[in-house]
Amino acid sequence: MTAYGSIPPSGDDRSPPALARQIRLMIQSGEVLPGSHLGTVELAERFSVSRGPLREALRLLESSGLVKIVPQRGAFVVRLDDREVQDLLAVREVLFALLAERCASAATPGGVEALRRELEQLEQIARNPASTARAFQVATYRYVAQMNVIVGSARLTQSIRDLSIGAAEIYGHLAIATRDMRLKDLSGYKKLFKLIAAGAGAAAFSQARAMHSQGVARAVELNASALRQSQSSSANDFVQRKRRTTQS
């Protein structure tokens, strides 16, 4: 058992892009937290590869904004309080709000009905005790995709999609990690739907900004708590090892 568990990557592909995808999934799932060190020795053991392909995989993740490589220290998952991450999330917040505003202005009865159906699916998942954060996240993607269909702006859609790769991947699952968090997020989407259906563009803009900001705040709070627990656990493990060494 390694620090990252002993589950091997799916398939037999051990190329740097395939390894990068697997590490990305570890980050997206919360198995590896923002700010955590990505040890090449542990990862090489987990994936049964040499450290060369792993280093290349980490460089690929650095280019996508998920990982920061520090000379003489190694690779780290970028932190949520990193200035560049905060800047990207701030831009994404404004673009999401702009999408909501445009959606309220452009929505037809048919578009509103299609968005209502996505909201109903989102609510079913949020209220199901057995549902997962990933299932809820996918449902929110469909909701936003329908907003994009209503607006019909390929450039705005692509801009939001580009900013959803990298920094947004880090906090996305943390913002809806618990059922209570998902219910709070659902409440925000329901308010946003009412504003879009009413054609209230300015109010939809403000609501979308608030939703995004609150989601990031929840993620930062949860991540800080998880890091404290992880550090406490690591310290306890160290103390136990020292005791065993002394006793032997």
Side-chain angles (χ1 to χ4, degrees), residues 5-19:
S6 59
I7 301 173
S10 58
D12 296 324
D13 191 352
R14 300 296 193 275
S15 65
L19 292 170

Side-chain angles (χ1 to χ4, degrees), residues 51-130:
R51 280 182 278 179
L54 269 175
R55 292 193 185 98
E56 182 59 32
L58 292 171
R59 282 193 286 269
L60 290 173
L61 292 171
E62 183 181 39
S63 69
S64 68
L66 276 175
V67 167
K68 181 172 286 189
I69 297 176
V70 181
Q72 309 304 318
R73 295 184 60 200
F76 296 82
V77 181
V78 295
R79 296 174 59 93
L80 286 172
D81 57 4
D82 182 274
R83 180 61 181 271
E84 291 184 6
V85 172
Q86 288 299 313
D87 288 347
L88 288 171
L89 291 175
V91 174
R92 186 175 184 269
E93 177 182 308
V94 174
L95 288 178
F96 177 56
L98 180 60
L99 175 67
E101 181 182 58
R102 297 283 176 81
C103 189
S105 300
T108 62
V112 169
E113 181 56 33
L115 194 61
R116 185 194 303 278
R117 289 195 294 270
E118 296 300 342
L119 180 62
E120 290 172 350
Q121 290 295 315
L122 190 64
E123 182 163 14
Q124 286 181 11
I125 293 171
R127 297 195 182 284
N128 181 358

Side-chain angles (χ1 to χ4, degrees), residues 17-31:
L19 292 170
R21 286 193 295 272
Q22 292 297 321
I23 298 170
R24 182 187 292 270
L25 287 173
M26 293 166 63
I27 296 170
Q28 289 175 329
S29 68
E31 180 181 353

Side-chain angles (χ1 to χ4, degrees), residues 17-240:
L19 292 170
R21 286 193 295 272
Q22 292 297 321
I23 298 170
R24 182 187 292 270
L25 287 173
M26 293 166 63
I27 296 170
Q28 289 175 329
S29 68
E31 180 181 353
V32 180
L33 297 171
S36 298
H37 179 250
L38 292 166
T40 53
V41 173
E42 292 85 355
L43 288 170
E45 182 180 344
R46 169 172 178 155
F47 296 135
S48 301
V49 297
S50 64
R51 280 182 278 179
L54 269 175
R55 292 193 185 98
E56 182 59 32
L58 292 171
R59 282 193 286 269
L60 290 173
L61 292 171
E62 183 181 39
S63 69
S64 68
L66 276 175
V67 167
K68 181 172 286 189
I69 297 176
V70 181
Q72 309 304 318
R73 295 184 60 200
F76 296 82
V77 181
V78 295
R79 296 174 59 93
L80 286 172
D81 57 4
D82 182 274
R83 180 61 181 271
E84 291 184 6
V85 172
Q86 288 299 313
D87 288 347
L88 288 171
L89 291 175
V91 174
R92 186 175 184 269
E93 177 182 308
V94 174
L95 288 178
F96 177 56
L98 180 60
L99 175 67
E101 181 182 58
R102 297 283 176 81
C103 189
S105 300
T108 62
V112 169
E113 181 56 33
L115 194 61
R116 185 194 303 278
R117 289 195 294 270
E118 296 300 342
L119 180 62
E120 290 172 350
Q121 290 295 315
L122 190 64
E123 182 163 14
Q124 286 181 11
I125 293 171
R127 297 195 182 284
N128 181 358
S131 68
T132 64
R134 179 59 181 168
F136 184 85
Q137 191 174 40
V138 170
T140 65
Y141 291 161
R142 291 198 298 266
Y143 184 103
V144 175
Q146 182 56 43
M147 290 172 63
N148 282 315
V149 170
I150 291 171
V151 173
S153 172
R155 180 167 294 181
L156 180 57
T157 298
Q158 188 60 50
S159 296
I160 294 174
R161 184 175 294 128
D162 290 343
L163 287 171
S164 297
I165 298 172
E169 293 180 74
I170 300 168
Y171 91 88
H173 68 279
L174 291 172
I176 53 172
T178 68
R179 185 165 179 258
D180 284 344
M181 287 179 172
R182 294 192 284 277
L183 289 171
K184 286 181 180 178
D185 216 38
L186 170 66
S187 177
Y189 277 104
K190 292 175 79 170
K191 290 178 183 177
L192 183 60
F193 171 78
K194 289 180 180 179
L195 294 170
I196 290 172
F205 184 95
S206 297
Q207 172 64 15
R209 287 202 72 171
M211 288 170 61
H212 193 284
S213 177
Q214 290 163 8
V216 173
R218 289 197 302 268
V220 170
E221 181 180 356
L222 182 60
N223 181 61
S225 175
L227 279 176
R228 286 193 297 269
Q229 292 178 4
S230 177
Q231 290 165 356
S232 175
S233 177
S234 296
N236 289 335
D237 289 345
F238 176 78
V239 170
Q240 291 299 324

